[in-house]
Amino acid sequence: MPRNATQPAVRRSYQFALFLAGVLWIIAAYAASSRSAQGIVTRLNLPAFDELLEQAFFLFLLVCGFATLRWIATRTYSDIRVINALPSRATTGQEWQRGVALGWGILLVALIPMMLSGTLHPNFSLAPRNWALALLSIATIALATLALEVAFRGFVFARLIDAIGPTAATIVLSILYAYISASRPNATGLSIVITFLLAILFSQAYLRTHALWLGWGMHFAWNAAMAVLFGLPLAGYATYNNLVYTSVTGPDWLTGGPYGPEGALFTFAVLIVAIFVLHRITRTYAWDYTHPPIISAGYPMDIAPPAAHTAMEATAAPVALVQILSTTPTTSSTMPVIDEHLRRDDDPTD
């Protein structure tokens, strides 16, 4: 059947409507999770758990809300993890670990100029309480980075891809991600550009794997190592520097200033290289998870015989079987030499 010329436009507009609904749900979920966490923390007098609860509620509302939108759109049930780009598959752990290694490596390379120039001055506070707070910070960062990946590279990203294509969708959501970062403390024009590149990198991780495991691993390692391990500001915030607090000296273009390494010029160059590195190390995942499977096809070779031939075989009389007997002669040979040879073979005493 020929496709109606208006069908693609209708489908694209419908996907775009789902994208807008998802964005509105992200805003509502964030507001609800923030109020819920504050209410529980105030009642139980647990201020240290405020952000952890907020991120946990935010992630829960995102996952359930996107699954509900998917059901409203299709009236079919599907795996909630698949809907949110968190499928369970054989390489799940490997993808996350590879993302952690890549995020850790990118940060180390980005900090090399600061280390060599001596602009980093760490101060350690290893009290038992600070170790507990550091573990709490790591858990909070893990939930926060996963929630951000689900929000920006999960359901809404897939809907926008269906509406305007992967390249345009990546640019639009990366611009939105960078625009939000402009409201963070001590943000600069360079930090906004670097945040845009980070969003491109995380989006590429999804496009190459059709899952969030790799991007989540990178995002988590980048944030956790920067804030908890090195004690540097994380996007303008220094709330996770429990064990290590690192003061920096030197120009802001080198260190990022109070915003942190995400505002340093060398980080921009490192992220450009990281985009190509990510593309190379995900070749296997891209082949396994983003390309349609190859299905063998061809022409049938079992051709039926002509009808006249089939009718002739059905009406033909069966052929009598012929038994082939032994050709060994039963009478004496006319040649004496042969007779003598045969008698010698039959004699058992010979």
Side-chain angles (χ1 to χ4, degrees):
M1 293 292 293
R3 182 185 293 271
N4 190 331
T6 62
Q7 286 181 356
V10 171
R11 183 177 183 274
R12 286 175 180 270
S13 62
Y14 187 64
Q15 295 295 335
F16 189 75
L18 287 176
F19 163 74
L20 293 179
V23 171
L24 292 176
W25 177 249
I26 292 173
I27 298 172
Y30 183 77
S33 61
S34 179
R35 292 186 178 182
S36 299
Q38 289 178 1
I40 293 176
V41 166
T42 301
R43 176 165 296 186
L44 299 180
N45 193 22
L46 295 172
F49 291 87
D50 185 13
E51 190 171 358
L52 178 68
L53 290 176
E54 179 180 333
Q55 298 300 332
F57 291 154
F58 185 42
L59 178 60
F60 175 78
L61 291 175
L62 287 178
V63 170
C64 295
F66 291 151
T68 303
L69 286 176
R70 173 69 162 73
W71 180 84
I72 293 173
T74 62
R75 289 297 192 274
T76 58
Y77 293 97
S78 183
D79 188 348
I80 192 172
R81 295 177 61 177
V82 175
I83 295 172
N84 289 281
L86 295 169
S88 177
R89 54 198 190 191
T91 59
T92 294
Q94 183 187 76
E95 292 173 50
W96 190 82
Q97 293 169 12
R98 186 166 294 187
V100 168
L102 184 58
W104 165 259
I106 294 171
L107 180 63
L108 284 182
V109 175
L111 294 180
I112 286 178
M114 304 181 204
M115 296 177 182
L116 295 178
S117 61
T119 59
L120 301 180
H121 309 284
N123 299 286
F124 299 93
S125 180
L126 306 180
R129 182 177 183 276
N130 290 340
W131 282 98
L133 292 175
L135 293 177
L136 185 63
S137 297
I138 292 174
T140 302
I141 292 173
L143 288 176
T145 51
L146 179 56
L148 282 175
E149 291 303 308
V150 171
F152 283 92
R153 261 76 64 176
F155 177 82
V156 295
F157 190 33
R159 302 289 73 76
L160 193 59
I161 289 174
D162 290 339
I164 62 177
T167 301
T170 299
I171 294 174
V172 168
L173 280 183
S174 297
I175 291 175
L176 179 61
Y177 191 78
Y179 174 77
I180 294 174
S181 72
S183 62
R184 294 170 180 169
N186 304 303
T188 63
L190 182 57
S191 71
I192 295 173
V193 173
I194 291 175
T195 303
F196 173 80
L197 282 181
L198 279 171
I200 294 288
L201 184 68
F202 298 144
S203 299
Q204 184 189 17
Y206 169 81
L207 293 173
R208 297 288 287 175
T209 62
H210 282 185
L212 298 179
W213 303 117
L214 182 67
W216 177 32
M218 282 195 300
H219 205 159
F220 168 73
W222 173 270
N223 285 9
M226 186 187 306
V228 180
L229 186 60
F230 290 101
L232 292 167
L234 177 60
Y237 295 97
T239 56
Y240 302 113
N241 307 6
N242 307 117
L243 293 175
V244 183
Y245 175 78
T246 301
S247 58
V248 296
T249 57
D252 289 352
W253 64 265
L254 177 64
T255 64
Y259 192 82
E262 292 180 6
L265 181 60
F266 188 67
T267 304
F268 175 86
V270 172
L271 291 178
I272 293 293
V273 176
I275 291 174
F276 293 96
V277 173
L278 176 63
H279 188 274
R280 182 172 181 82
I281 68 173
T282 54
R283 289 177 297 179
T284 302
Y285 299 142
W287 176 262
D288 292 339
Y289 301 126
T290 66
H291 295 294
I294 299 176
I295 301 175
S296 58
Y299 296 99
M301 300 304 294
D302 298 331
I303 302 175
H309 182 75
T310 304
M312 181 183 66
E313 288 184 341
T315 57
V319 180
L321 297 178
V322 178
Q323 182 178 7
I324 301 175
L325 300 177
S326 173
T327 59
T328 304
T330 57
T331 59
S332 300
S333 174
T334 58
M335 299 180 66
V337 176
I338 297 178
D339 292 341
E340 180 63 24
H341 178 72
L342 292 175
R343 282 196 299 269
R344 190 165 52 248
D345 290 342
D346 293 339
D347 189 358
T349 61
D350 193 9

